[in-house]
Amino acid sequence: MARRCCRLKNILICMCTPCCFLTFLYIYAALTISLQMNSMLSKVSSNLASPHFKALGSFRNYTGPSVPKTFWENHQESDALWNQLQRSVDHLFNPLLHPEKSNTLLERSSLDESLLHQSYNKVTAMDRVRDTFEKLPKQIREFARYMQRRDYPVLLHPDGECGAQSKQEKEPPLILFAIKSTVLNFKNRHAIRQTWGRIGWVEGWRINGSDGEVGGAYIRRVFLFGKETPEELGMDVSHLLRAESKRHGDILQWDFQDTFFNLTLKDVLFWSWFSHRCTQPLFVFKGDDDVFVNTPKLITFLKHQLKQHQTRGTMDEFMVGDVIGSATPNRVKRSKYFIPEGFYRGRYPVYAGGGGVVYSGGLARRLHNISKTIHLFPIDDVYVGMCMIRLNAHPVHHPAFLTFDFTEKEEAEPCSYHSILLVHKRSPREVVELWADIRSTREQCQDVPLRADKKKTLKTTPPPSA
């Protein structure tokens, strides 16, 4: 009996051992594959988290990569028009769904605007989207009706290939001043041409107690326009703008309606013009025609930045200004910044205030490329922020870009205008007076450092006016 039990035990051991071994092998293989898949997905997610945003709302069962909570709100059921339009484009570049396109996620420079036209036609053909469209306020509807179009002809060209320039220019210009203006703001342009926007060689001034020679740089200038009809203005002034263009050679005008919401269109068309016409300017200043710029100190500041970023190889990412973070759309109907929930849901990306911002020429070309895959947005500086986050580039905040203006106490201090690079909302008369004042007080204020934040935090609300 004992022998029979022993034999049976040996048989069971021989039969069960391979089964147990195979079971453990399957478990080990399953764990290994699971860990590898998690590792691969985490790498994909880490690559996507920073440079890309997701426009929620057009694909209800979408399970693509998520984004930081500080940007888009998680409204999967949102019917906001812009979100649906952009989501339609983003879907095509999801590396999990379309691995063959993963290499084009950052630049997408081989594309043209046809992708935006396709997504616009596809989304706006949906019945529920048409219903959403009809409920939008009139001004937003007008914007949305033409937001896919960017093929506007140029009506007036600058004399120079890349803006007005000095005939004595002996080296590549440091800055191209690209200033958004409107036809009737003649006094603003006249003041700028006399003062901070004067073309040619400009001497730099010391900043923050810098020693040694600061040198100088060449400046170029161009004013950016849309078109205003005689019906809108109550008179026909087109001949005056043509005469101004002939005299100064610094007008760039396109054949689109010059409205507040079309300021974004000025950015996009300027990037295209710059990419095709401008090979020399190292920096672009893009701003409004009611700002005051301390050009001599801006030159010195940018020459310092040029050395630092060339050393680090980051010139193609450089943008500096008054940076605003964690802003939300303005839902006040009386505000010109009003964006209804039916058009856009979510937070805004970090962006530099549009009153005045400086970026490198290389970044301007990259912005032109990436803008071909991002639908226009009515607020121009927010749109630039959307393009920046696509490029995984981040604007740098500097408190000397004062788009919110001084406090009364600060402005009353001696040499206050020597501590800034830009201040917003100055009349033509104030611009001329400030230019004369900083030049007459240069010697006594030469050791005043650039303005610095005490708390070094980003602003979280946009300025009250543009």
Side-chain angles (χ1 to χ4, degrees):
M1 185 71 181
R3 264 187 236 163
R4 190 178 299 165
C5 289
C6 183
R7 190 178 303 155
L8 182 61
K9 181 180 179 181
N10 289 337
I11 292 172
L12 289 172
I13 291 173
C14 291
M15 293 178 63
C16 293
T17 299
C19 294
C20 292
F21 178 77
L22 287 173
T23 300
F24 285 121
L25 183 61
Y26 286 140
I27 293 172
Y28 174 78
L31 288 172
T32 302
I33 292 172
S34 177
L35 289 172
Q36 288 179 343
M37 288 294 292
N38 287 337
S39 175
M40 290 172 63
L41 288 173
S42 65
K43 287 180 180 179
V44 172
S45 297
S46 65
N47 287 336
L48 290 171
S50 292
H52 308 295
F53 60 81
K54 181 176 70 173
L56 300 169
S58 76
F59 294 95
R60 299 178 185 276
N61 297 321
Y62 181 75
T63 57
S66 61
V67 295
K69 293 181 180 179
T70 53
F71 189 14
W72 303 100
E73 290 184 29
N74 191 21
H75 293 295
Q76 294 286 359
E77 300 302 316
S78 170
D79 287 328
L81 177 61
W82 190 92
N83 297 58
Q84 294 187 73
L85 289 170
Q86 190 58 42
R87 187 72 175 281
S88 178
V89 176
D90 295 346
H91 179 78
L92 298 175
F93 291 95
N94 187 317
L96 299 180
L97 301 176
H98 306 282
E100 74 281 1
K101 295 184 180 180
S102 60
N103 291 332
T104 62
L105 276 169
L106 287 179
E107 293 292 350
R108 312 180 191 185
S109 58
S110 62
L111 300 175
D112 56 28
E113 290 86 356
S114 62
L115 181 63
L116 298 176
H117 285 273
Q118 293 169 18
S119 67
Y120 185 89
N121 293 334
K122 173 184 175 182
V123 172
T124 55
M126 303 177 185
D127 290 337
R128 61 186 176 86
V129 174
R130 285 199 293 267
D131 292 340
T132 299
F133 185 91
E134 292 304 322
K135 295 176 183 177
L136 294 173
K138 181 181 178 181
Q139 190 177 13
I140 292 289
R141 284 203 312 271
E142 285 299 310
F143 173 84
R145 190 170 283 115
Y146 300 102
M147 63 186 289
Q148 84 284 8
R149 185 183 172 188
R150 304 184 183 188
D151 57 339
Y152 296 92
V154 174
L155 300 177
L156 294 173
H157 291 272
D159 282 350
E161 184 178 1
C162 181
Q165 60 195 73
S166 169
K167 294 180 180 179
Q168 287 75 41
E169 200 174 273
K170 298 177 181 178
E171 61 185 58
L174 182 71
I175 311 170
L176 169 65
F177 285 121
I179 306 151
K180 294 180 179 180
S181 190
T182 55
V183 174
L184 295 183
N185 285 3
F186 171 78
K187 290 183 178 179
N188 299 59
R189 296 190 294 278
H190 182 64
I192 290 170
R193 292 182 183 112
Q194 287 183 307
T195 58
W196 60 263
R198 185 177 298 176
I199 63 172
W201 177 263
V202 177
E203 181 186 0
W205 293 354
R206 287 186 176 85
I207 57 173
N208 300 342
S210 57
D211 297 325
E213 294 296 325
V214 294
Y218 284 101
I219 303 295
R220 292 185 186 180
R221 179 186 66 238
V222 64
F223 289 100
L224 311 177
F225 292 84
K227 183 180 179 181
E228 296 177 83
T229 64
E231 291 75 22
E232 294 166 332
L233 297 176
M235 65 186 85
D236 185 0
V237 295
S238 58
H239 63 288
L240 297 178
L241 191 63
R242 287 195 298 270
E244 185 180 344
S245 176
K246 185 175 181 180
R247 180 177 180 182
H248 298 285
D250 57 3
I251 303 294
L252 177 57
Q253 184 188 33
W254 293 275
D255 190 12
F256 66 83
Q257 190 177 12
D258 208 337
T259 64
F260 175 68
F261 280 176
N262 277 345
L263 289 175
T264 306
L265 196 53
K266 283 187 183 180
D267 271 313
V268 169
L269 294 177
F270 167 72
W271 293 336
S272 177
W273 176 83
F274 182 89
S275 298
H276 292 97
R277 299 273 184 171
C278 301
T279 58
Q280 293 187 314
L282 299 176
F283 295 98
V284 172
F285 169 89
K286 189 267 292 182
D288 297 338
D289 64 3
D290 60 350
V291 301
F292 175 78
V293 180
N294 190 335
T295 305
K297 286 202 170 183
L298 180 62
I299 287 172
T300 305
F301 171 78
L302 291 179
K303 292 183 81 170
H304 288 174
Q305 294 297 314
L306 184 62
K307 291 180 181 178
Q308 295 175 14
H309 285 272
Q310 282 181 333
T311 301
R312 297 197 297 260
T314 54
M315 272 298 294
D316 284 353
E317 301 175 2
F318 178 80
M319 177 181 285
V320 63
D322 185 9
V323 177
I324 300 164
S326 300
T328 56
N330 190 316
R331 305 301 191 193
V332 179
K333 292 183 178 180
R334 295 186 303 273
S335 172
K336 70 176 181 178
Y337 298 99
F338 170 58
I339 300 294
E341 290 189 1
F343 183 80
Y344 176 85
R345 293 290 293 275
R347 286 187 171 275
Y348 286 155
V350 172
Y351 64 92
V357 62
V358 177
Y359 45 82
S360 68
L363 179 57
R365 297 177 187 95
R366 295 181 69 204
L367 288 168
H368 165 59
N369 290 333
I370 204 67
S371 69
K372 299 172 186 178
T373 61
I374 304 176
H375 281 282
L376 296 181
F377 192 79
I379 311 300
D380 56 334
D381 43 13
V382 172
Y383 181 77
V384 177
M386 291 175 171
C387 293
M388 288 289 285
I389 204 170
R390 275 286 192 223
L391 295 172
N392 196 23
H394 309 283
V396 176
H397 177 69
H398 198 296
F401 286 80
L402 204 57
T403 57
F404 283 84
D405 212 335
F406 291 103
T407 63
E408 289 186 14
K409 183 179 179 180
E410 278 184 299
E411 189 168 12
E413 293 176 358
C415 305
S416 58
Y417 283 89
H418 288 266
S419 70
I420 56 98
L421 296 174
L422 171 144
V423 65
H424 200 188
K425 287 294 181 183
R426 294 296 182 269
S427 68
R429 180 177 178 178
E430 288 172 326
V431 166
V432 173
E433 290 175 350
L434 286 171
W435 184 253
D437 181 69
I438 67 167
R439 297 180 75 82
S440 65
T441 57
R442 174 186 175 184
E443 186 173 344
Q444 69 190 68
C445 298
Q446 63 181 343
D447 294 327
V448 173
L450 289 180
R451 189 173 180 271
D453 271 341
K454 294 180 180 179
K455 294 186 178 179
K456 292 188 178 180
T457 56
L458 296 186
K459 295 178 177 66
T460 57
T461 54
S465 59

